[in-house]
Amino acid sequence: MSTPTEQRSVTVLGLGPMGRALAGAFLDAGVRTTVWNRTPGRERELVARGALGAASAEEAVAASPLTVVCVVNYDASDTILRREAVTTALKGRTVVNLTADTPARARSTAAWAAEHGVRYLDGAIMTPTPTIGTPAAVFLHSGPAELYREHRPVLDTLGGTHTHLGEDLGRAAAYDIALLDIFWTAMSGYAHALAVARAEGISARELAPFAQGIGAILPPIFEGAAEEVDNGVFSGANNPLTSAASSMAHIVHASEEHGIDAGVLRAAEGLARRAIEEGHGGDGFLRITDILDRRRKHR
Ligand code: NDP
């Protein structure tokens, strides 16, 4: 589909590793790209590749109908966007904020944008920098569907999969938080496992193929459990909570015998024991979802 020339231009604010990857992908796709970063110097390589380096954030946003922001958090993006000169330059233009933060921060920045005549979409990037510009990239978006459709041709040049999750501006951030919850909890579990394994004389290299096997068990569980969790039915036929809690206790004891902190797993075991005390010992492990989310439990 051909795109009007004006739409094929974009501004990127924030040139950390992710901002630089985004700007690089736009450049590779032939999109006219203007860049700015709080600390000067980060734009050098991009300018050598054809980007336009702006002297200020207001000059940068004035250069394109679409500005993509990608900085460390919403304190940083608010600091940039809410400066009067920048807000004035943004009036009638579109911001896609790909900065990660909480759903509440996304909604409050969206409310600020609406008050100031700034067209606003919020988004989240679910894959690391090397994926940007490749089919492996994953982007989530939320906000007005029409605005998303208007800017999709430029956003699509970032490659990968783009999913519009709805008009609630906090929704992309909400998915981001939930998905990163899985990631960081799994990574802390992996780090703990490596420490316990090492204490038992097993190297990370030796454990790696088996660790991958454990990782591969998870995707079918995510798929199979979805309906059970949404319907509040937690089948424990194959692995009841009583058995899961016992398995977790072995890990806690083994690690504490080596003087290794088992705090994360102790917390998970504690939730399982609470569910058992409340009479759910025959249910599956995901019953603790309702122990954590009391609103759901009492609905
Ligand atoms: P960082 O999260 O470290 O962000 C660095 C950027 O934030 C730099 O441009 C930095 O500017 C800017 N910044 C920090 N504080 C301020 C401030 N007070 N005012 C203005 N600018 C500020 O690096 P990334 O580029 O990797 O990440 C950007 C976003 O992308 C984050 O929200 C991150 O969670 C998300 N993300 C990153 C991924 C990755 O693999 N890196 C993967 C998925 C999402 P300066 O150079 O001046 O310090």
Side-chain angles (χ1 to χ4, degrees):
M1 191 176 74
S2 72
T3 312
T5 318
E6 210 219 357
Q7 272 184 26
R8 299 275 301 178
S9 78
V10 68
T11 289
V12 178
L13 300 181
L15 301 175
M18 186 51 88
R20 289 200 300 274
L22 298 170
F26 285 132
L27 283 172
D28 288 345
V31 179
R32 181 179 181 274
T33 306
T34 302
V35 294
W36 176 84
N37 190 63
R38 176 184 63 169
T39 307
R42 292 245 167 102
E43 75 291 350
R44 244 175 247 132
E45 194 207 325
L46 293 161
V47 169
R49 288 169 63 189
L52 304 162
S56 64
E58 52 270 34
E59 187 185 306
V61 303
S64 319
L66 170 64
T67 289
V68 170
V69 191
C70 191
V71 288
V72 63
N73 56 31
Y74 272 67
D75 281 343
S77 68
D78 283 352
T79 301
I80 298 168
L81 300 176
R82 299 190 192 204
R83 248 192 345 104
E84 199 183 335
V86 178
T87 308
T88 306
L90 279 172
K91 206 170 163 59
R93 299 177 194 274
T94 302
V95 170
V96 175
N97 199 341
L98 295 180
T99 301
D101 212 314
T102 65
R105 291 301 297 265
R107 291 184 190 114
S108 89
T109 297
W112 164 87
E115 271 169 36
H116 291 83
V118 179
R119 305 164 86 214
Y120 190 81
L121 290 164
D122 204 87
I125 306 169
M126 302 318 308
T127 50
T129 53
T131 65
I132 306 303
T134 79
V138 175
F139 297 88
L140 305 177
H141 302 276
S142 50
E146 190 129 331
L147 192 58
Y148 173 67
R149 263 196 300 278
E150 184 182 324
H151 293 288
R152 184 126 196 216
V154 172
L155 294 172
D156 276 350
T157 65
L158 293 171
T161 312
H162 292 256
T163 306
H164 182 249
L165 296 166
E167 303 244 339
D168 166 14
L169 275 141
R171 204 161 167 83
Y175 271 68
D176 188 39
I177 291 292
L179 295 170
L180 291 179
D181 191 348
I182 299 170
F183 180 73
W184 288 119
T185 310
M187 287 299 284
S188 46
Y190 182 45
H192 189 264
L194 291 174
V196 176
R198 188 195 286 154
E200 285 288 340
I202 302 164
S203 70
R205 168 58 30 234
E206 288 172 306
L207 194 68
F210 299 95
Q212 287 177 48
I214 287 289
I217 291 173
L218 295 175
I221 291 179
F222 296 160
E223 187 52 41
E227 257 151 57
E228 285 197 354
V229 175
D230 283 345
N231 295 327
V233 179
F234 302 93
S235 166
N238 294 325
N239 190 4
L241 264 169
T242 43
S243 168
S246 161
S247 159
M248 285 188 278
H250 300 152
I251 307 163
V252 168
H253 295 151
S255 38
E256 289 179 351
E257 274 164 19
H258 287 294
I260 293 171
D261 188 327
V264 173
L265 204 59
R266 266 197 182 281
E269 186 199 348
L271 289 166
R273 301 254 176 238
R274 209 172 347 136
I276 294 166
E277 276 162 27
E278 292 185 16
H280 304 299
D283 284 359
F285 181 73
L286 290 176
R287 161 63 70 182
I288 72 168
T289 308
D290 279 8
I291 299 285
L292 289 163
D293 178 9
R294 292 284 169 181
R295 286 173 315 168
R296 168 63 186 258
K297 187 162 189 283
H298 292 120
R299 246 197 330 239

